[in-house]
Amino acid sequence: MTHVTERFFITTAISYPNGVPHLGHAYELMASDAIARFMRLDGRDVFFLTGTDEHGLKMAQTAEREGLTPLQLADRNAAAFRAMGKALDATNDDFIRTTEPRHHAASQAIWKRMEANGDIYLSKYSGWYSVRDEAFFDEKELTTGEGGKRFAPSGAPVEWVEEESYFFRLSAYQDRLLALYAGQPDFIGPDSRRNEVVSFVERGLEDLSISRKTFTWGIPVPGDTKHVMYVWVDALTNYITAAGFPDEQAPRWKYWPASVHIIGKDIVRFHAVIWPAMLMSAGLPLPKRVFGHGFLTNRGEKMSKSLGNVLDPIAMSQQYGLDAFRYFFLREIPFGADGSYSHEAIVGRLNADLANDLGNLAQRSLSMVNKNCDAKVPPRNALTGDEEALLASAYALAGGGRKHMDSFALHAILADIWRVVGDTNRYFAAQAPWALRKTDLARMETVLWTTAEVLRVIGLLAQPFIPLAAQKLLDLLAVPGDRRMFAHAVPDHALVPGTGLPAPTALFPRYVEPEAAGEGA
RNA sequence: GGCAGUGUAGCUCAGCUGGUUAGAGCGUGGCACUCAUAAUGCCAAGGUCGGUGGUUCGAGCCCACUCACUGCUACCA
């Protein structure tokens, strides 16, 4: 029987590098990384992509302000995004930059295919434009002042401008898009986003302006170099660029269509409406899922430079530890919903869940093994119902995790794992192996074996979320490197009595406030 | 304005197609234990499930109205 490994292609959005990466970028990358790791551990052939979206007016303007060329700015900040990925131990397989030649080629190729399909035409884009806001406004949004002068909501004056632009016949795809949403209910997640997109498309689609003549920092439109591509074609195409497009013989083309695009909730529509329409036009397969995660707030307040609460994800990961940093955001916030974070909340999770519950469980059990079982996996003697039940709940984690992963409910996977952690602490306390040591050595061994075996399964399942600590835990249990897939989270691969174990060391240090020299920020 | 959604213990949230005393985690108070990272376990306090009125033998879960909050209502990555 030939077995083809199932492929899994996951992407983050590409980040706009006119500034340095912030916590929101880190969150998206960490969550996507956890999903990618999960799928690898579950035996999939994973391709995980992230990158930067480097064209456009804002990049050009920021570069000019800083006395750089746009490419110099892009080089500098793309490096910062790459560095963040390294610092967060992200396992992306590629990092795409839209300024790369491969991406120019892909963007022009998809443009030509859309054009060949009759979906691109030249026309005029017109509307009320505010120079100060750098944005167009709908007639309805404007206020009229004295002499009929029009003003944007911000109070800035607007002027009627017309600009020659290429258009994409998005309106022609309305029915096919609605059919897509209806036929594939999980195409857009979470559900609340899906409803929004459906009602948006049901209201009717207009054709989309997809080129600009007002700036030049972009990919030239094929056959008309007065125009550069506007963000839609340029940015969205990155996903197929990385898969090798337009070379459908490229080694990575087998990964397309993407299994999921993980993106912020603000750009769900672009991925769920414009992108599939573009692909339909170009005659290419559509991504299977689009999932919009929520935004992070600091104690309920949006992050902003003026509030001074924009935090550096690299510094945070160093302050709390990379695993704790990842764990907090993935455990605390239902994936897809907005979430709030604070120093106190992070420390609470770190100390309670990681240091006290899991770290201490490993420590208390493994140190008993070390002292009382000759530093070897103890014998597994007759199991009672208590052991059977606890082990069964641990072995159920992989299946339950897969189920939750169907809806990218990362927080639910972690909640389940930690429920078992809690059960194991209760089991351990109830069995009191330190008392059994004096009365019933066989029982003590069984309790310690069971606890260690549950820890093994927990370590396996926790790998996507707390990779460093999980690895350490599995090392402490002497689990061979080639026995660390989810497929091994079963009784057949249980810890083998007699296996020598290293001396236990702490998995997570408790977070202790640095003695407040000044008042805390 | 229109459409969609949310409102359950101090905090964050679970509550499947309506069915006996409404749950978890954190936080708080007390007790126990000593294997362990002053960790862990046990017990307890605390909620008229936004409001009003219905349907039903019975509603947190259904219906109507109502209050509050959130999202979407396209050219912003």
Side-chain angles (χ1 to χ4, degrees):
Chain A
M1 191 174 91
T2 53
H3 180 261
V4 178
T5 305
E6 200 177 332
R7 296 191 184 93
F8 190 85
F9 181 10
I10 178 172
T11 73
T12 68
I14 46 176
S15 304
Y16 202 64
N18 65 337
V20 293
H22 60 246
L23 188 56
H25 296 114
Y27 176 56
E28 183 169 307
L29 186 64
M30 289 191 293
S32 303
D33 184 57
I35 297 169
R37 287 175 184 264
F38 185 100
M39 292 301 176
R40 283 193 206 97
L41 288 163
D42 207 22
R44 311 290 180 84
D45 175 12
V46 171
F47 179 40
F48 173 24
L49 175 70
T50 188
T52 43
D53 167 28
E54 307 183 349
H55 292 303
L57 187 59
K58 286 222 170 82
M59 281 297 286
Q61 288 172 332
T62 302
E64 187 172 357
R65 202 159 48 237
E66 299 193 23
L68 301 170
T69 67
L71 188 57
Q72 285 173 327
L73 174 70
D75 284 345
R76 189 192 72 193
N77 285 345
F81 277 85
R82 272 204 163 99
M84 177 183 75
K86 281 237 161 51
L88 298 180
D89 203 13
T91 57
N92 52 292
D93 301 290
D94 196 356
F95 186 103
I96 188 167
R97 300 181 53 186
T98 55
T99 46
E100 294 173 59
R102 59 173 171 161
H103 182 64
H104 282 234
S107 299
Q108 295 188 325
I110 192 173
W111 180 289
K112 285 183 195 158
R113 286 174 74 144
M114 292 159 64
E115 189 172 46
N117 199 40
D119 286 327
I120 292 181
Y121 62 91
L122 187 62
S123 182
K124 279 200 165 57
Y125 181 63
S126 58
W128 295 101
Y129 185 76
S130 159
V131 177
R132 201 196 294 168
D133 295 318
E134 293 172 19
F136 283 89
F137 292 93
D138 195 89
E139 185 97 39
K140 292 182 294 223
E141 300 175 85
L142 302 178
T143 54
T144 307
E146 295 182 23
K149 211 162 169 31
R150 309 290 199 120
F151 295 93
S154 65
V158 295
E159 54 188 307
W160 183 259
V161 300
E162 294 193 349
E163 179 189 333
E164 184 185 73
S165 165
Y166 284 93
F167 280 78
F168 170 53
R169 227 176 276 284
L170 183 62
S171 59
Y173 290 88
Q174 180 170 346
D175 293 344
R176 272 172 278 184
L177 288 168
L178 289 172
L180 167 67
Y181 310 144
Q184 221 173 301
D186 68 350
F187 180 69
I188 304 164
D191 289 344
S192 53
R193 299 292 152 211
R194 174 177 179 278
N195 295 337
E196 287 174 7
V197 170
V198 170
S199 69
F200 173 80
V201 175
E202 280 174 343
R203 272 190 285 263
L205 294 175
E206 294 171 16
D207 289 348
L208 188 71
S209 167
I210 55 169
S211 77
R212 286 292 183 274
K213 288 171 77 178
T214 46
F215 59 89
T216 57
W217 180 236
I219 299 172
V221 167
D224 189 346
T225 51
K226 298 189 299 298
H227 290 258
V228 295
M229 296 182 194
Y230 193 48
V231 57
W232 319 121
V233 177
D234 185 331
L236 290 163
T237 301
N238 91 85
Y239 304 123
I240 55 173
T241 300
F245 187 79
D247 177 8
E248 300 190 15
Q249 304 307 313
R252 278 177 175 166
W253 187 246
K254 66 185 178 190
Y255 289 108
W256 189 259
S259 308
V260 63
H261 295 309
I262 300 292
I263 55 176
K265 64 180 184 179
D266 55 331
I267 54 175
V268 166
R269 189 197 308 144
F270 309 143
H271 285 74
V273 179
I274 298 174
W275 180 224
M278 283 172 55
L279 291 165
M280 287 173 184
S281 175
L284 294 168
L286 311 184
K288 296 186 188 117
R289 319 262 309 255
V290 171
F291 190 91
H293 67 252
F295 287 162
L296 305 181
T297 56
N298 187 319
R299 300 168 195 281
E301 287 188 318
K302 277 178 83 163
M303 291 178 280
S304 78
K305 282 179 195 157
S306 54
L307 284 170
N309 60 2
V310 178
L311 299 179
D312 171 13
I314 297 180
M316 286 178 82
S317 71
Q318 288 164 347
Q319 178 184 6
Y320 301 111
L322 182 51
D323 282 338
F325 180 61
R326 289 172 63 110
Y327 177 81
F328 173 80
F329 288 101
L330 301 179
R331 170 67 185 90
E332 180 89 356
I333 303 166
F335 195 52
D338 289 345
S340 158
Y341 67 91
S342 66
H343 173 70
E344 290 73 17
I346 296 172
V347 171
R349 282 287 179 194
L350 198 184
N351 285 343
D353 293 7
L354 299 181
N356 296 351
D357 289 345
L358 178 56
N360 184 57
L361 173 63
Q363 186 80 348
R364 68 196 301 208
S365 56
L366 293 179
S367 72
M368 278 202 77
V369 170
N370 194 255
K371 289 174 193 161
N372 301 298
C373 306
D374 200 21
K376 290 176 183 160
V377 174
R380 177 198 131 138
N381 303 309
L383 302 185
T384 68
D386 290 338
E387 278 84 41
E388 304 278 10
L390 182 61
L391 288 166
S393 68
Y395 295 135
L397 286 175
R402 288 184 191 105
K403 199 156 290 168
H404 286 311
M405 190 53 91
D406 284 345
S407 53
F408 304 112
L410 307 180
H411 59 290
I413 299 174
L414 287 167
D416 281 355
I417 295 174
W418 257 262
R419 192 167 302 119
V420 175
V421 171
D423 288 344
T424 311
N425 267 316
R426 279 184 282 280
Y427 163 80
F428 199 82
Q431 299 295 328
W434 55 91
L436 292 170
R437 183 181 48 165
K438 299 166 193 156
T439 59
D440 188 343
L441 272 180
R443 270 303 292 163
M444 179 201 76
E445 289 167 348
T446 298
V447 170
L448 293 179
W449 180 86
T450 302
T451 303
E453 170 61 4
V454 172
L455 281 171
R456 181 186 72 89
V457 176
I458 288 168
L460 292 175
L461 271 296
Q463 290 178 97
F465 309 98
I466 48 170
L468 301 174
Q471 180 181 13
K472 186 168 179 183
L473 175 57
L474 295 171
D475 287 346
L476 291 176
L477 293 164
V479 176
D482 61 356
R483 298 278 200 286
R484 296 188 177 188
M485 302 284 279
F486 292 164
H488 299 113
V490 294
D492 283 354
H493 292 278
L495 290 173
V496 178
T499 307
L501 299 178
T505 56
L507 288 182
F508 301 99
R510 278 181 65 80
Y511 185 91
V512 182
E513 293 297 343
E515 206 40 57
E519 63 263 66

